[in-house]
Amino acid sequence: MCDPGSVQSRTPKLTAKGRATRERIVAGAAAEFRARGVVATTLDDICRATATSKSQLFHYFPDGREQLLHAVAQHEADRVLLDQEPFLSDLTSWAAWDAWRDAVVARYREQGTSCPLGVLTTSLTRSTPASQEVTARLLEQWQRKITDGIVAMREQGAIAADVEPEQTGAALLAGIQGGVSILMQTGRLTHLEAALDVGIAALRG
Amino acid sequence: MCDPGSVQSRTPKLTAKGRATRERIVAGAAAEFRARGVVATTLDDICRATATSKSQLFHYFPDGREQLLHAVAQHEADRVLLDQEPFLSDLTSWAAWDAWRDAVVARYREQGTSCPLGVLTTSLTRSTPASQEVTARLLEQWQRKITDGIVAMREQGAIAADVEPEQTGAALLAGIQGGVSILMQTGRLTHLEAALDVGIAALRG
DNA sequence: CGCCTTCTGGACCCCCTGGTCCATTCGGGC
DNA sequence: GCCCGAATGGACCAGGGGGTCCAGAAGGCG
């Protein structure tokens, strides 16, 4: 899923230690971005937060800030989906849908305004086309999983046959996305909850 | 609605010419932000685009970039709602709802990826707390208008009595917000359309 | 053990950007 | 026409930020 090294320019061979350092930088940068925002975070901040030096940073990310941004985007995108498992991949009963809904709400309640998805959609995506692509792919995968769930339920007869999986899935994803966005701006969870509840209720018919 | 001069520090008295220049700067900056993004746009860019000098910029916005950002945020927030009129303020029949839906979709189709709301929610809001407040207030007003429409329809009996205006309005707003957000990242309008269509269909019951 | 590559530290550079200053022009009221 | 505050031009400054370099430590492998 991560596919490291495909887009980013060839990095030198990494030993175990090197890989660990690289990972530490990405994770630390991600945390820093979440906490202070992408624009406000400087490379020196990241060095300080991860106990590394600039030379290490450029050793692992020869293309500099942009490449690091991309790596962090991928890291955060992975996390967004992982955080919804195992529910998201198994939406085959109403109980599973409810559990998924609760997991999403709980996750966003606890992380509040500092969340991977928020960082992706607000800042990272606008920084570089490469990161935008990462976000686009994330959304695609996400919607696919929701749509799969709708199809499964429809085959069971639990969802009416006239419900369009693609369209309804798209609407639900948009609701979540918007709910998170509003959470980022107001600190209130109500819209995310409303979007999920209304969206799933609509599926129930 | 604009309430100029309340939050921003006192600007010197403005003549007609002064007011025009100030407005030109705000509008030009807004356009620049939409086109190139907030982070990528420098004060010099804005000067160039608006045919002004830095001294003018700081003459009208003594607090510098931050104050300008705030003014632009207000400017863009106003535009978001204005763009949906006269439909948004008169959601009292299904025809009105449909017209509103079409207006929103048309607006976002034409402006594509360079839209006021997008700029607000992605970059402006994160730049300064003052701008965040502007966005929060925008969302509040927006939802209020949607909720008013739902209430009106319910009183007519066109919408079932068990529909919660607040919750359903929140979900609809979240859908739009998310639809626009996804539009910004993928260039596709499908999610915005889906959110509106599914949301309004849910109201129809 | 010895060698070569990877890894790390930290000093250094340069440009860009927000912000300042002052001198000049403009323009409206009397 | 005079005068004073508003409006404008443009040179200038300081700091911070991304990015470079080289020397030395560390660590795998024959």
Side-chain angles (χ1 to χ4, degrees):
Chain A
M1 183 184 280
C2 258
D3 191 18
S6 72
V7 179
Q8 29 202 302
S9 60
R10 285 275 157 258
T11 44
K13 297 176 206 169
L14 298 185
T15 68
K17 190 181 181 185
R19 250 171 291 138
T21 303
R22 194 193 134 105
E23 185 51 38
R24 178 160 46 95
I25 292 175
V26 171
E32 211 67 5
F33 288 163
R34 263 177 264 133
R36 302 194 216 307
V38 174
V39 205
T41 302
T42 143
L43 294 189
D44 292 286
D45 288 340
I46 295 172
C47 289
R48 220 170 302 130
T50 60
T52 50
S53 63
K54 277 260 257 307
S55 58
Q56 294 182 72
L57 231 165
F58 281 84
H59 179 66
Y60 295 106
F61 306 93
D63 292 347
R65 182 170 229 262
E66 184 141 338
Q67 190 182 359
L68 176 58
L69 252 43
H70 182 196
V72 171
Q74 191 64 61
H75 178 268
E76 296 295 76
D78 289 348
R79 218 191 108 175
V80 169
L81 288 184
L82 236 37
D83 279 349
Q84 301 176 60
E85 297 299 350
F87 310 107
L88 181 58
S89 287
D90 187 46
L91 295 173
T92 52
S93 68
W94 287 125
W97 282 85
D98 290 338
W100 171 60
R101 179 260 185 221
D102 289 343
V104 171
V105 169
R107 161 63 57 182
Y108 283 93
R109 165 169 291 125
E110 101 184 26
Q111 68 194 1
T113 205
S114 120
C115 82
L117 179 59
V119 170
L120 271 173
T121 56
T122 59
S123 319
L124 277 178
T125 212
R126 313 215 91 196
S127 305
T128 139
S131 300
Q132 187 165 358
E133 190 125 337
V134 171
T135 307
R137 209 157 48 222
L138 162 66
L139 290 173
E140 206 176 294
Q141 291 171 17
W142 197 344
Q143 185 177 344
R144 176 55 168 278
K145 286 182 182 284
I146 295 176
T147 306
D148 283 352
I150 297 177
V151 169
M153 295 296 280
R154 218 171 59 156
E155 280 170 358
Q156 294 176 28
I159 287 182
D162 65 345
V163 168
E164 305 261 13
E166 279 299 331
Q167 188 196 30
T168 331
L172 191 47
L173 180 62
I176 298 172
Q177 176 81 24
V180 171
S181 172
I182 293 175
L183 166 65
M184 299 283 295
Q185 327 218 345
T186 67
R188 310 191 123 261
L189 253 171
T190 48
H191 289 74
L192 177 59
E193 291 181 312
L196 279 165
D197 289 338
V198 171
I200 296 180
L203 289 178
R204 279 195 163 100
Chain B
M1 185 182 280
C2 256
D3 191 20
S6 71
V7 178
Q8 27 201 304
S9 61
R10 287 274 157 259
T11 43
K13 297 178 207 166
L14 298 185
T15 68
K17 191 181 181 188
R19 249 171 292 137
T21 303
R22 194 194 135 104
E23 185 51 37
R24 176 160 47 94
I25 292 174
V26 171
E32 211 68 2
F33 288 163
R34 263 178 264 132
R36 302 194 217 307
V38 175
V39 207
T41 301
T42 145
L43 294 190
D44 292 285
D45 288 340
I46 295 172
C47 289
R48 219 169 303 130
T50 60
T52 50
S53 65
K54 276 260 258 310
S55 57
Q56 295 182 71
L57 231 166
F58 280 85
H59 178 67
Y60 295 106
F61 305 93
D63 291 348
R65 182 170 229 263
E66 184 142 338
Q67 190 182 358
L68 177 59
L69 251 42
H70 182 194
V72 171
Q74 193 64 62
H75 178 268
E76 296 295 76
D78 290 348
R79 216 190 110 174
V80 169
L81 288 184
L82 236 38
D83 278 350
Q84 300 176 61
E85 298 300 351
F87 310 108
L88 181 58
S89 287
D90 188 47
L91 295 173
T92 53
S93 68
W94 287 126
W97 281 85
D98 290 338
W100 171 60
R101 179 262 185 220
D102 288 343
V104 171
V105 170
R107 161 63 57 180
Y108 283 93
R109 166 169 289 124
E110 101 185 26
Q111 68 193 2
T113 204
S114 119
C115 84
L117 179 60
V119 170
L120 271 173
T121 56
T122 58
S123 321
L124 277 178
T125 214
R126 312 215 93 197
S127 305
T128 139
S131 301
Q132 187 166 359
E133 191 125 338
V134 171
T135 308
R137 211 157 45 223
L138 162 67
L139 291 173
E140 207 174 293
Q141 291 171 18
W142 196 347
Q143 185 177 343
R144 176 57 166 278
K145 287 184 182 285
I146 295 176
T147 307
D148 284 351
I150 297 177
V151 169
M153 296 295 281
R154 218 172 59 154
E155 280 170 358
Q156 294 177 29
I159 288 182
D162 65 345
V163 168
E164 305 262 14
E166 279 299 330
Q167 188 196 31
T168 331
L172 191 46
L173 180 61
I176 297 172
Q177 176 80 23
V180 171
S181 173
I182 293 175
L183 166 65
M184 300 281 296
Q185 328 218 345
T186 65
R188 311 191 121 260
L189 252 167
T190 50
H191 288 74
L192 177 59
E193 290 181 312
L196 279 164
D197 289 338
V198 170
I200 295 179
L203 289 178
R204 281 194 161 100

